[in-house]
Every structure is written in C-alpha cells, then in structure tokens.
Amino acid sequence: MDLAYTAAEEEFRARLRDWLAGTLPTLPPPPPAGDWPARRAHDSAWQRRLYDAGYGNVHLDASPTLRLIFLEETEKAGAPYVGANFVGLLHAGPTIAAEGTPEQRERWLGPILRGEEIWCQGFSEPDAGSDLASLRTKAVRDGDAYVVTGQKIWTSHAEVADWCELLVRTDPGAPRHRGITWLAMRMDAPGVTVRPLRTLAGSTEFAEVFLDEVRVPAADRVGEENDGWRVTMVTLSFERGTAFAGEVVACRRTLTEVATRARANGCWDDPVLRRRLGRLHAEFTALWRLVQWNVSEAAATGGVPGTGGSVFKLRYSQARQELYDATAEVLGPGALDLSLPWTRERLSSLSYTIAAGTSQIQRNILAERVLGLPKGR
C-alpha cells in the first residue's frame, strides 16, 4: 500500500485547481432541486465542460489515484456533482469499460463522457432489493433479442434516463446467483413505463419501472449470458469503492460548518456536543484514509476496488447519519425546516444504510470474504 502522491499526480492536482478556479465563477446558478429536466441539462452541460477541458474521462480511463484527486479537488472547490450522470459515470460506464466489448465501449462510453446520454440503474425489485440475487424480472431469448418482463423499483434517475443498466434472470432453473444477465436497455423502448417515486425529502430521483415484453437486442448484453452476477459485482465494487469519495470530502466540510454554527449560537458550550463532533472528525479522517487505501489497492490490482469498499460503505453510511443528527441538534427547531440543505441531507442520509447494499449485506460480505466464516443456508 502506498498513500503518497507522485510528482505527476501533484501536477495534475495543481492544474485541476487552476482550471476550477477559472471556470466555476462562470457557471450559471443550479436549477431547483425538483426540476429534473433542468437538472439534467445543467449536469450534462457541466460534464461537457469537463470533457472539453480534458477531464471527462477521469472516471473511466484515469488511474484510481487520479480519479480520487479529481473527486477531492472538485468537491473542495464546490464544483457541481455528477448529478444526473451518477449512474453512467460511476456505475455503468466503469462496468462497460471493464467488461464490455470494443464495440460496446465505442458505442456507449463517448456519449456518457460528453454528457449526451443519461443512464439509470435497474437492479432492485419489490421483492429483491437488498437480496439482489432474488430478482425475478425475466428475459427470454427470441432470435437476436431478449424479451424482458418484470418490474424494477428505486431506479435512480429513470425519469430522465436514455439507457438502463438492467439485471434480468435468463435461466430460472439455475441457482439464484447464476442465471442472471446484465443488459443495456433503451428507456424509450416500447413496453417501458416509468412512474416516479417521491422520497421522504420530497425529491423524485427514484422511480418504479414496469417492463412489458420489452425487446432488448442481444448485442446490448454486457458479459456472457447467465454471467451477470459476476459483472454486477464489478459494478457494485465501483459503487462501494470510490463512488462516495467526494461525499466524504463534503461531510468533512459540513462538519467544520456545524462547529462554526455551534460556536455562534452557544451550542458549543455543551461538552457532550463537542465530544461528539470531535469523534466525527476522527471518523471522517479515518474514512478518507480508508478511501485512499482502497484506491491504492485498486491501482495495484487492475483498477477494480476490493472488499475494502464494503468496510468503507458500512461505516460511512452510519457516520453520515450521525453527522446530520448532530446538525439537527445544532439547528434546534430549525431542523424541521425542509428549505434548509442540512434538513434535506438529514432525511436523505436515512437511505444510506439501505442504498448500494444494506449494512446487513456488507456485514455478510465481510464475514464470508474477509473473515472466512461459512455462508448461511
């Protein structure tokens, strides 16, 4: 493990800082949080700026260390997040880069990097969320296409997506971790119906997706038929390994702001609160080091994060909830005001121990793959 940066990596950091300092003041104000068509346009325009400046491919072609530097510096500078491009840039794109054919990489990666096409994630189902291997959406081969029927839920950004990374069951007689296939499905294909879901915070970045005999070309299958579970593990390792790196930087900034607010309104006089914020500071410092450790491991093993991603996800999701509980204590009655960013973030944080694999799933992964404990029946 090597956590030191090379001269070339530090030069990349300095060049990126200069570009951000000159570019961010020229950006238009972000659109309202609930206006997803406008947010798609805003997020895509930012991605196009990154692409034109030579940073568009950082999530796919750069080393894990450069990717981490990029996430750290953009978050520190207050640059727009990936937003509507979240699934394409951080999940589907890296998976296609690692597992797709040359033709598939040529077809899909360019539009993702230029912000031209938005992807959503079609993994969870009403009876198969955390237990992903229980998915029942089926795909039957018919000539040169698969005919897909079923339902997905908590489909991120389905309301504005052009493509969906879709998991389907292609061999219902196989053991449940086999017989699964990873497909790329057009969201405007006949038979696709999207119904937005309103979250606790009032946002609608998730949706139910109903699939009624949707035809997906066999050429849009990533990986081999019935090998989708292995391909999915590549996707999820990216999600748990580096996709939250920028959020750790944001949480450290929020923690500083909370301490400043507490000093101003008198909450700082409470020694219990001071001790709580101090422990969170240590937690997020350690989580950042864990991100660096995971990136260092990924760089040494071919670019795909390992089980350290589950260690990170398990602790980060809990620490984030504790951070925003602390913001509520400092805000007092204002913590009920949904117009405040900290209030919305607190509500959103409740999903973190469920999204991207529940904490129970992460504990199972670590018990089996790190500690070598036997699998449950």
Side-chain angles (χ1 to χ4, degrees):
M1 181 177 66
D2 183 5
L3 300 182
Y5 295 112
T6 66
E9 290 163 350
E10 291 293 2
E11 189 278 332
F12 173 83
R13 184 192 299 277
R15 181 161 44 87
L16 175 60
R17 280 180 180 172
D18 289 343
W19 182 78
L20 289 168
T23 302
L24 293 182
T26 69
L27 295 184
D35 188 347
W36 272 102
R39 288 182 64 183
R40 169 181 170 140
H42 182 268
D43 297 343
S44 297
W46 170 243
Q47 183 57 30
R48 181 70 201 205
R49 279 181 180 251
L50 290 171
Y51 181 85
D52 290 342
Y55 298 109
N57 66 345
V58 72
H59 297 294
L60 303 186
D61 290 341
S63 70
T65 303
L66 288 187
R67 193 179 312 143
L68 181 63
I69 292 172
F70 174 84
L71 292 170
E72 181 183 10
E73 293 301 326
T74 51
E75 187 60 46
K76 282 182 175 177
Y81 189 47
V82 288
N85 296 298
F86 180 81
V87 175
L89 287 171
L90 304 185
H91 299 176
T95 303
I96 293 167
E99 298 291 334
T101 65
E103 292 76 17
Q104 290 172 336
R105 290 195 287 270
E106 176 69 21
R107 164 63 186 87
W108 286 315
L109 295 186
I112 288 175
L113 297 178
R114 293 189 293 271
E116 296 168 353
E117 292 182 342
I118 303 297
W119 286 64
C120 63
Q121 188 180 64
F123 283 11
S124 297
E125 298 184 4
D127 296 318
S130 298
D131 187 12
L132 188 58
S134 295
L135 67 89
R136 293 190 294 185
T137 293
K138 66 178 182 180
V140 178
R141 185 69 180 260
D142 180 22
D144 61 355
Y146 291 95
V147 179
V148 181
T149 301
Q151 180 186 350
K152 297 292 178 178
I153 196 169
W154 307 120
T155 306
S156 309
H157 303 313
E159 70 280 8
V160 292
D162 304 291
W163 290 88
C164 177
E165 54 171 354
L166 184 71
L167 292 184
V168 295
R169 189 163 294 284
T170 41
D171 184 355
R176 67 195 200 111
H177 288 89
R178 300 173 186 172
I180 295 173
T181 299
W182 200 107
L183 299 177
M185 179 187 72
R186 287 201 63 91
M187 290 299 288
D188 60 357
V192 176
T193 301
V194 176
R195 188 163 67 188
L197 293 170
R198 187 168 296 279
T199 70
L200 186 64
S203 58
T204 55
E205 67 268 28
F206 298 109
E208 293 177 289
V209 177
F210 300 89
L211 308 169
D212 183 12
E213 297 188 343
V214 180
R215 294 186 68 84
V216 178
D220 292 347
R221 183 191 69 224
V222 174
E224 297 297 322
E225 184 174 293
N226 299 326
D227 193 30
W229 185 257
R230 184 191 61 79
V231 177
T232 302
M233 291 304 101
V234 173
T235 304
L236 295 181
S237 66
F238 281 111
E239 184 175 48
R240 296 163 189 164
T242 56
F244 295 108
E247 294 191 16
V248 176
V249 177
C251 285
R252 296 176 76 178
R253 183 177 62 241
T254 298
L255 186 59
T256 300
E257 293 169 353
V258 172
T260 301
R261 175 71 69 89
R263 289 188 178 94
N265 68 9
C267 289
W268 193 252
D269 295 337
D270 181 357
V272 176
L273 176 69
R274 293 202 304 271
R275 188 161 52 245
R276 188 176 178 186
L277 297 183
R279 183 179 57 76
L280 283 169
H281 175 74
E283 289 256 15
F284 283 108
T285 300
L287 282 166
W288 182 249
R289 292 302 183 192
L290 181 56
V291 169
Q292 291 178 307
W293 188 92
N294 288 338
V295 166
S296 180
E297 181 193 39
T301 57
V304 179
T307 53
S310 289
V311 177
F312 170 83
K313 171 63 172 55
L314 181 63
R315 189 53 210 154
Y316 168 67
S317 56
Q318 187 66 40
R320 184 182 177 91
Q321 291 177 351
E322 293 171 8
L323 168 63
Y324 283 101
D325 284 348
T327 68
E329 184 172 337
V330 173
L331 285 172
L336 299 176
D337 184 352
L338 281 174
S339 68
L340 298 179
W342 286 356
T343 303
R344 295 196 299 272
E345 290 291 349
R346 187 187 184 206
L347 294 177
S348 174
S349 74
L350 298 176
S351 69
Y352 274 66
T353 46
I354 301 173
T358 67
S359 293
Q360 289 79 7
I361 290 293
Q362 308 310 324
R363 291 189 179 96
N364 279 345
I365 291 172
L366 297 174
E368 295 169 4
R369 301 181 193 174
V370 178
L371 302 178
L373 298 178
K375 293 185 178 181
R377 295 181 178 176

